[in-house]
Amino acid sequence: MARVTVEDCVLKIPNRFELVMLASQRAREISSGAQEAVSRDNDKNPVIALREIADEKVEFDVIRESLVSGLQKHLPEEDHEPDLDENETLAIQSAMAAETGMSIGGDSTVTVRPSADGAEAAPSAPAFKDAEDTSDDAGAEAAGADAVADAAPDTADASDSDETS
């Protein structure tokens, strides 16, 4: 067979970009072991792919589909897991937390730590600050509240003066 040219293939696939994409995908398939539709004649895989396209020996839709699926990062899932309700999800998370010794949840979490012999130890309550530590924080919060009250305009005096007029 004579050498294939791009002009021969453009008659079959008018878009040159699509032609290049399909020919390169078909050449990859051939190099992966796909059956060749034309004789090799000591040609390289891209030339064989172009010859197959020019002779319409391959289905363009099949090559397009394999090209698209090869470029996708997230393949669509066919079998979905059934949706779990909130209680089942919480039970699974609690079981996983017990196995790993990690805590789950928000502010009031309880951490379960396995003991050295593998048995589950009693849950430990979250750690809080001592009473001495909180007194310092309370003083700072009160000082902050005084600063906010000083910065706010005194609206009570203004409303009293309006009523007397």
Side-chain angles (χ1 to χ4, degrees):
M1 180 175 184
R3 291 302 242 176
V4 66
T5 62
V6 175
E7 286 77 24
D8 297 332
C9 298
V10 170
L11 298 174
K12 310 301 183 205
I13 301 175
N15 187 339
R16 289 176 186 259
F17 176 75
E18 184 179 7
L19 173 63
V20 169
M21 295 297 291
L22 293 178
S24 63
Q25 178 64 27
R26 181 61 185 147
R28 277 189 228 106
E29 290 174 358
I30 292 170
S31 66
S32 318
Q35 184 66 35
E36 300 167 2
V38 296
S39 61
R40 181 165 277 278
D41 293 335
N42 203 21
D43 290 327
K44 295 184 179 181
N45 293 338
V47 175
I48 293 172
L50 287 170
R51 286 178 44 207
E52 289 176 346
I53 291 171
D55 293 343
E56 294 184 13
K57 299 282 185 174
V58 293
E59 294 183 34
F60 302 137
D61 292 334
V62 174
I63 298 173
R64 278 187 195 103
E65 186 63 33
S66 66
L67 176 65
V68 169
S69 66
L71 294 174
Q72 286 179 338
K73 292 183 180 180
H74 300 286
L75 298 177
E77 296 178 19
E78 293 180 8
D79 52 281
H80 298 285
E81 293 183 18
D83 293 335
L84 301 175
D85 67 355
E86 189 174 320
N87 292 334
E88 290 175 341
T89 304
L90 185 58
I92 291 171
Q93 289 175 344
S94 298
M96 291 175 65
E99 289 177 10
T100 60
M102 297 180 67
S103 63
I104 60 172
D107 294 335
S108 61
T109 59
V110 175
T111 305
V112 177
R113 292 187 180 90
S115 62
D117 62 353
E120 193 172 294
S124 62
F128 295 103
K129 293 182 177 182
D130 293 334
E132 296 83 24
D133 293 341
T134 57
S135 64
D136 295 337
D137 292 340
E141 289 175 8
D146 291 339
V148 171
D150 291 339
D154 194 9
T155 57
D157 294 337
S159 62
D160 292 339
S161 63
D162 289 339
E163 291 176 8
T164 57
S165 312

